Amino acid sequence: MENKPVELVLPDVSEPVLIEGYPGIGLVGHIAGNFLAKELNMELIGHVESPFLPPMALVLEGEPAPPLRFYGKDDLIVAVADIYVTPTLVAEIARELAAYLKRNGAKKVISIGGIGIGMFKEEPDVWGVGSRKELNSELENAGVKILQYGSIMGMSGQLLWEARKAGLDAYVFLGETFGDRPDPKAAARVIEAIKGIIPLEVSTEPLLQEARMIEEQLRRMHEQMEQARQRAQKQYENIYL
């Protein structure tokens, strides 16, 4: 790996479909990517090597694992990360990944992220855009709202641009999320939208159950805070009024 900031340790897969799920707003991509790898019983097939990654190893199911990993099954590859990656390193990884996908004749490149809206929605929407305008009709048919203006940060945005330069069919799916906490509901909504453009035999019910648990916890926290506020208000009125 001399003089190279990034090396993909990844076997060649003919005509792959890649799904990228790096951390971002609401951890939507991170949650979705790891969920797909687990639910589809995918195997760890590769990782990212770089001297600019933090010196660490994760422990997953009793075994050491790299923080930036690739899972594979048949022609599907899922890229996940359990750490935030610096912008410079994101650019290098995206460039190497686009070159790998071009070399192997990738059929589709899919990135998952979140779009912060600062509010809760019972049925959050999914936004997206393709690497060329003709692909947007596929997204619309899958129930995705097309992003007309804005910016896509992180790996999702960088990989979309590198894929466009390489002439690859790439798509970004962004799930609406409050933005300040992990959001499994947004991840589930995105996965359901992705199922509209590629065949994925997976149920998102476990993510929705997790979302309901989080929402219940937040509801209880809100009730406790409101009760505490009312007690404080009553004490104030008893003392000063």
Side-chain angles (χ1 to χ4, degrees):
M1 199 177 128
E2 275 186 55
N3 301 320
K4 285 190 70 175
V6 165
E7 180 183 355
L8 303 185
V9 181
L10 183 63
D12 285 332
V13 176
S14 179
E15 298 185 341
V17 171
L18 178 108
I19 297 177
E20 170 265 315
Y22 274 37
I25 298 173
L27 291 179
V28 177
H30 172 79
I31 293 169
N34 279 286
F35 177 79
L36 288 173
K38 179 181 179 182
E39 293 297 309
L40 295 173
N41 295 314
M42 303 180 77
E43 294 183 357
L44 179 65
I45 62 170
H47 62 278
V48 175
E49 287 278 1
S50 173
F52 302 105
L53 287 171
M56 64 174 294
L58 297 177
V59 178
L60 300 175
E61 297 181 349
E63 293 184 337
L68 275 58
R69 306 182 299 285
F70 297 101
Y71 291 95
K73 184 176 183 180
D74 300 326
D75 64 347
L76 181 64
I77 301 173
V78 174
V80 299
D82 283 316
I83 59 171
Y84 282 94
V85 184
T86 63
T88 301
L89 204 52
V90 162
E92 294 291 341
I93 295 170
R95 192 175 299 117
E96 290 292 323
L97 199 47
Y100 167 90
L101 294 168
K102 179 71 172 179
R103 185 171 69 250
N104 286 279
K107 290 183 284 190
K108 291 186 188 303
V109 183
I110 297 169
S111 288
I112 302 174
I115 181 168
I117 59 173
M119 59 181 286
F120 291 106
K121 289 178 69 174
E122 191 65 32
E123 296 294 335
D125 289 314
V126 177
W127 294 79
V129 67
S131 57
R132 50 190 179 88
K133 211 162 189 178
E134 294 79 5
L135 300 179
N136 288 345
S137 60
E138 292 184 49
L139 292 171
E140 288 179 311
N141 290 338
V144 175
K145 293 186 173 183
I146 302 303
L147 187 67
Q148 297 291 345
Y149 299 96
S151 59
I152 302 174
M153 306 300 292
M155 180 59 75
S156 296
Q158 189 68 38
L159 186 56
L160 178 69
W161 178 240
E162 294 295 340
R164 178 183 173 90
K165 290 193 294 182
L168 297 167
D169 287 353
Y171 314 73
V172 171
F173 290 76
L174 302 171
E176 287 184 338
T177 178
F178 192 95
D180 66 345
R181 64 203 62 168
D183 194 339
K185 178 185 281 188
R189 296 282 290 182
V190 168
I191 291 172
E192 290 298 332
I194 291 173
K195 289 162 72 172
I197 67 168
I198 64 170
L200 284 177
E201 297 296 327
V202 62
S203 169
T204 55
E205 183 56 30
L207 284 178
L208 295 175
Q209 288 179 358
E210 184 178 348
R212 287 191 285 267
M213 289 175 57
I214 291 174
E215 289 168 0
E216 178 62 19
Q217 290 171 354
L218 291 173
R219 185 187 65 77
R220 289 177 181 174
M221 287 174 57
H222 176 76
E223 288 179 352
Q224 290 170 357
M225 291 172 63
E226 178 61 20
Q227 290 170 1
R229 185 195 67 78
Q230 291 177 0
R231 285 196 298 269
Q233 178 70 20
K234 189 173 183 179
Q235 289 175 352
Y236 174 85
E237 291 173 351
N238 289 339
I239 294 173
Y240 296 103
L241 297 181

